[in-house]
Amino acid sequence: MTNNLYIVQEYDNNGMPFDEALSETEYFDDADFGGDAEAAAVAAWEAAAARGGIWKLLKIG
């Protein structure tokens, strides 16, 4: 079984990620969520996007 890491990160208008000191980057690891962190990551991404700005949900795995 592949262990995935999901990252919810804010980007500026030039497509560059904000420094973590300036924006709340969130990490979701499958190992911490019983093998499937995707639902939690999507919920966090939706909540962040609702606050405004440019947010991306990245999947590594």
Side-chain angles (χ1 to χ4, degrees):
M1 182 171 155
T2 303
N3 191 45
N4 296 307
L5 174 66
Y6 299 87
I7 302 170
V8 177
Q9 189 171 33
E10 187 174 14
Y11 284 72
D12 66 18
N13 290 333
N14 296 317
M16 299 297 296
F18 277 107
D19 185 286
E20 287 191 28
L22 302 174
S23 179
E24 267 189 53
T25 299
E26 297 184 70
Y27 299 90
F28 300 86
D29 191 329
D30 281 346
D32 297 331
F33 286 85
D36 189 8
E38 185 174 9
V42 169
W45 173 75
E46 288 173 342
R51 292 191 303 263
I54 301 168
W55 291 84
K56 293 184 181 181
L57 173 58
L58 309 169
K59 178 181 176 182
I60 301 168

